[in-house]
Amino acid sequence: MHLCQVAMAMRDLCIFTTFVSFLISLSSVSVANDQSYLARGSSISTQDVTTAILVSPNGAFTCGFYKVATNAFTFSIWFSWASGKTVSWTANRDAPVNGRGSKLIFRKNGGLILVDYNGMVIWSTNANASRSDRAMLLNSGNLVVMDTDGHHLWRSFDSPTDTLLPLQPMTRNTKLVSASARGLLYSGLYAFYFASNNILTLIYNGPETSSIYWPDPFYLPWDNGRTTYNSTRYGVLDKTGRFVASDQLEFEASDLGNEMMRRLTLDYDGNLRLYSLNITTGSWSVSWMAFPRVCNIHGLCGANSLCKYRPELESCSCLEGFEMIEPSDWSKGCRRKTNTMPFSFRKLPGTDLWGYDLNYSKLAPWWMCRDMCLNNTNCEAFGYRKGTGECYPKAFLFNGRNFADPYNDIYLKTPMAVWSSPELAPRPRHVCKVTEKEAYPSSQMFVGDNSSFKFGYFLSSALTLLVIEVTLIIVGCWIVNKWERRPETMDEGYMIISSLFQRFSYKDLERATKC
């Protein structure tokens, strides 16, 4: 009886210790996943933390390892209350780390570093501050390294990616760079920064060419309401949704007020947009944008293409005689199907290809403008404005859009072989509408007239294949059956030959040979 009581007591003690250990492990996990600061000398692995490293005191922002692929992570800050983890800042957007063994280390010398699984340093704050004490994520979404007195030794606000948050300054040393595509964090082709003339500028940086597209390059700075004389190069978005810069650029949100969380983002399509967050639903709404009609953005459809205005959306298409280089990416543009001689011209009314003029002639007759392009091997097209006689021979077919303002006609240099070819098939359309719902470009962005499913063709093909398969099976079975039933000629021959031999004894051989 005594032994039974001891056994029961030991069992209860084991259960109690197990329960206490479970509570301790839960508390340690919660501390690791939801702490207010990172102490100097500490490190966190991607395997230890899969959600949060730091959370701002108000809970509005989260900092941690952001999953960009099956086993690839970035060190990022995102909006906690937004659906889909909208990222506001990323340390290593172009160099994700491995999900196994990579670490964020707060060095004893005061610098934050991100180390890949093989020990290679992917990103660092480049700060060597012996006075640094901790890393914190502030209510503003600013990740800072500070000393014991609260002084900021390093700030994420000083190195933005594609997003500017309220009270985050835009200076001569900061630049927003767009993402490469919707849902992807890699650096894209567009940038927002203070140019050397002290003006906040949007620029397209493509693989072959680059051009400024905002403010409107057709006008002088003061015609666009800007000034080049203030060299302070400073701009800021306040909490109410009003942006003010030193070059006299000013704009404000349509829902101006203090109650909204906001972000100013240079999107993957090159448009600068101000977003407001609905905390209840976690969705974003556009409260201001630089381009209500995105066809004015350079490089949107790539080279040798045209951005067309359609009801409720804009779409891309290759110029006649050209085809897409990469069907899934309009930014790669189009290439000629053939470059055979001779050439003639196709008129594209109300169209413009901005920039890249070989020459400019004023008060030139149309035929003279045509001959200038026809006799120049580098000329791909020419623009002509009736009434003014302005002539613009083009060396590069870029930034094409219809409904040009001011009105302009483009005459495209086209091989005569294209004239006799049937009309080009319907081309995929690139929907430029703004949406945050799709993580990656979907097939709905590329719509064609031949996309409908032909069920009749499918059914007839399936039945034909079925009949052929059954016929082959029957023939195969017949052949196998005949093969198994055929006479074994080799065995029969062997039996016939072997039956002709007779066995003789030694005495018979001695008598026959007389030996």
Side-chain angles (χ1 to χ4, degrees), residues 345 357-384 389-394 413:
F345 292 94
D357 301 329
L358 280 171
N359 201 348
Y360 167 69
S361 299
K362 194 173 183 179
L363 299 177
W366 180 87
W367 62 268
M368 182 182 294
C369 190
R370 177 201 61 190
D371 291 346
M372 287 172 58
C373 184
L374 192 61
N375 297 328
N376 190 333
T377 56
N378 295 323
C379 183
E380 299 284 347
F382 69 91
Y384 190 78
E390 294 175 86
C391 175
Y392 302 90
K394 302 289 182 179
K413 200 174 188 179

Side-chain angles (χ1 to χ4, degrees), residues 221-286:
W222 40 90
D223 294 328
N224 289 312
R226 307 288 191 93
T227 178
T228 60
Y229 298 111
N230 192 334
S231 61
T232 56
R233 300 188 194 179
Y234 186 87
V236 68
L237 174 69
D238 65 23
K239 292 183 177 180
T240 66
R242 181 179 287 108
F243 184 89
V244 179
S246 56
D247 65 347
Q248 294 184 354
L249 171 63
E250 294 185 18
F251 59 84
E252 60 184 33
S254 58
D255 55 358
L256 199 65
N258 288 314
E259 69 279 0
M260 306 294 295
M261 289 193 68
R262 306 182 190 278
R263 62 182 173 95
L264 181 65
T265 300
L266 179 59
D267 285 324
Y268 72 98
D269 61 357
N271 205 350
L272 185 67
R273 296 182 178 94
L274 180 61
Y275 292 90
S276 302
L277 178 64
N278 185 327
I279 299 178
T280 304
T281 62
S283 61
W284 295 95
S285 59
V286 179

Side-chain angles (χ1 to χ4, degrees), residues 46-86:
T46 51
Q47 293 175 274
D48 299 332
V49 178
T50 57
T51 54
I53 293 176
L54 298 173
V55 177
S56 61
N58 62 359
F61 293 93
T62 302
C63 176
F65 291 112
Y66 181 83
K67 189 174 183 179
V68 294
T70 303
N71 194 36
F73 292 83
T74 58
F75 177 51
S76 302
I77 301 172
W78 60 85
F79 289 84
S80 306
W81 302 329
S83 59
K85 288 185 178 180
T86 303

Side-chain angles (χ1 to χ4, degrees), residues 122-144:
I122 301 300
W123 169 84
S124 69
T125 58
N126 295 321
N128 188 1
S130 57
R131 297 181 296 109
S132 64
D133 177 66
R134 62 182 61 188
M136 289 190 65
L137 183 60
L138 305 182
N139 288 336
S140 60
N142 189 10
L143 178 65
V144 299

Side-chain angles (χ1 to χ4, degrees), residues 144-328:
V144 299
V145 175
M146 60 176 63
D147 60 14
T148 54
D149 297 327
H151 297 134
H152 297 173
L153 307 177
W154 176 88
R155 309 189 311 166
S156 64
F157 268 18
D158 295 333
S159 56
T161 48
D162 63 350
T163 296
L164 201 71
L165 297 175
L167 304 183
Q168 180 178 2
M170 191 75 188
T171 68
R172 67 176 64 240
N173 299 318
T174 57
K175 177 189 291 187
L176 302 186
V177 178
S178 68
S180 58
R182 182 187 288 116
L184 299 181
L185 300 182
Y186 294 100
S187 299
L189 303 177
Y190 299 95
F192 178 57
Y193 68 108
F194 275 104
S196 58
N197 61 354
N198 302 322
I199 291 180
L200 271 172
T201 301
L202 286 172
I203 187 171
Y204 165 78
N205 287 310
E208 297 178 347
T209 184
S210 64
S211 56
I212 293 173
Y213 60 96
W214 191 76
D216 192 338
F218 187 79
Y219 300 100
L220 295 172
W222 40 90
D223 294 328
N224 289 312
R226 307 288 191 93
T227 178
T228 60
Y229 298 111
N230 192 334
S231 61
T232 56
R233 300 188 194 179
Y234 186 87
V236 68
L237 174 69
D238 65 23
K239 292 183 177 180
T240 66
R242 181 179 287 108
F243 184 89
V244 179
S246 56
D247 65 347
Q248 294 184 354
L249 171 63
E250 294 185 18
F251 59 84
E252 60 184 33
S254 58
D255 55 358
L256 199 65
N258 288 314
E259 69 279 0
M260 306 294 295
M261 289 193 68
R262 306 182 190 278
R263 62 182 173 95
L264 181 65
T265 300
L266 179 59
D267 285 324
Y268 72 98
D269 61 357
N271 205 350
L272 185 67
R273 296 182 178 94
L274 180 61
Y275 292 90
S276 302
L277 178 64
N278 185 327
I279 299 178
T280 304
T281 62
S283 61
W284 295 95
S285 59
V286 179
S287 53
W288 176 87
M289 67 176 68
F291 291 93
R293 308 193 76 175
V294 297
C295 281
N296 291 325
I297 298 174
H298 290 184
L300 185 65
C301 299
N304 306 312
S305 63
L306 195 63
C307 185
K308 295 184 177 181
Y309 291 107
R310 301 178 184 272
E312 298 183 358
L313 58 87
E314 287 80 24
S315 63
C316 296
S317 64
C318 292
L319 293 170
E320 190 166 359
F322 293 82
E323 60 184 358
M324 286 188 70
I325 295 176
E326 187 174 326
S328 62

Side-chain angles (χ1 to χ4, degrees), residues 309-457:
Y309 291 107
R310 301 178 184 272
E312 298 183 358
L313 58 87
E314 287 80 24
S315 63
C316 296
S317 64
C318 292
L319 293 170
E320 190 166 359
F322 293 82
E323 60 184 358
M324 286 188 70
I325 295 176
E326 187 174 326
S328 62
D329 188 358
W330 269 108
S331 67
K332 300 292 179 62
C334 308
R335 62 189 167 206
R336 281 195 183 274
K337 291 183 176 181
T338 179
N339 203 27
T340 57
M341 298 286 284
F343 288 98
S344 189
F345 292 94
R346 285 279 181 100
K347 181 180 179 180
L348 304 176
T351 303
D352 192 19
L353 296 163
W354 194 90
Y356 311 101
D357 301 329
L358 280 171
N359 201 348
Y360 167 69
S361 299
K362 194 173 183 179
L363 299 177
W366 180 87
W367 62 268
M368 182 182 294
C369 190
R370 177 201 61 190
D371 291 346
M372 287 172 58
C373 184
L374 192 61
N375 297 328
N376 190 333
T377 56
N378 295 323
C379 183
E380 299 284 347
F382 69 91
Y384 190 78
R385 292 178 185 166
K386 289 183 179 180
T388 62
E390 294 175 86
C391 175
Y392 302 90
K394 302 289 182 179
F396 193 46
L397 305 180
F398 211 66
N399 306 323
R401 61 182 184 268
N402 63 348
F403 295 106
D405 184 23
Y407 189 89
N408 191 80
D409 291 332
I410 288 292
Y411 293 85
L412 181 64
K413 200 174 188 179
T414 310
M416 293 293 289
V418 177
W419 285 65
S420 58
S421 65
E423 188 172 349
L424 299 179
R427 305 176 183 88
R429 296 175 182 175
H430 170 70
V431 178
C432 303
K433 294 177 67 177
V434 182
T435 175
E436 291 290 335
K437 295 181 181 179
E438 300 177 40
Y440 297 95
S442 70
S443 59
Q444 296 176 353
M445 295 176 63
F446 305 95
V447 181
D449 294 341
N450 296 326
S451 60
S452 59
F453 183 74
K454 301 297 187 296
F455 182 77
Y457 293 151

